[in-house]
Amino acid sequence: MARHVEYRRIYADAEPADGVRVLVDRVWPRGLRKDSGAFDVWMKDAAPSTELRRWYGHDPERYREFRRRYLAELRDPDHQEALRSLADLADSGPLTLLTASRDVDHSQAAVLADRLSGAGGKHP
């Protein structure tokens, strides 16, 4: 059974089809109140390391290498529990991964969505 995993900006309005909404950024999104209710879970441990995030800088020309490095990071024990939790959520119904990134198609949310839906490699 295929998992239904979407991704979008945290600032977009929630939709009924979103299912569980999970923030996958390491840092808190600018301008978002902590009590906004814009998501169900904040999973910082699923986000790229600070070092990788800073190296990438959301430069689309670095995306391919970012994706490769991030997928390698996701194999680390530090990320495995978060990845399993996301997979369990995706197995239970629709899952929407949220990020503050302006270019969501070149974000960790896109990489995670591909990974969880099976396009990015083996399921955890």
Side-chain angles (χ1 to χ4, degrees):
M1 182 167 124
R3 294 174 174 153
H4 182 78
V5 181
E6 299 288 333
Y7 59 93
R8 64 170 56 188
R9 289 195 79 204
I10 184 77
Y11 307 107
D13 291 333
E15 296 182 9
D18 284 350
V20 178
R21 294 169 50 93
V22 179
L23 177 61
V24 292
D25 286 353
R26 186 161 300 278
V27 297
W28 188 258
R30 287 187 182 142
L32 190 68
R33 292 178 41 164
K34 297 246 180 185
D35 62 352
S36 69
F39 59 91
D40 300 300
V41 179
W42 183 14
M43 216 171 279
K44 289 190 268 187
D45 292 338
S49 66
T50 300
E51 295 79 18
L52 180 56
R53 184 176 52 83
R54 287 182 180 157
W55 171 83
Y56 177 43
H58 299 286
D59 179 350
E61 291 183 20
R62 291 184 171 184
Y63 181 71
R64 289 178 73 123
E65 180 63 14
F66 165 75
R67 179 183 172 84
R68 187 193 68 73
R69 291 182 187 189
Y70 182 39
L71 287 170
E73 276 191 2
L74 289 173
R75 290 190 292 270
D76 290 343
D78 294 344
H79 287 85
Q80 283 298 298
E81 185 176 339
L83 195 56
R84 275 192 295 279
S85 294
L86 288 171
D88 289 344
L89 289 171
D91 287 341
S92 299
L95 175 65
T96 300
L97 305 175
L98 303 168
T99 181
S101 299
R102 287 193 173 125
D103 184 357
V104 294
D105 291 330
H106 295 100
S107 71
Q108 73 274 7
V111 176
L112 278 171
D114 284 349
R115 175 72 169 79
L116 291 165
S117 66
K122 296 178 184 173
H123 295 297

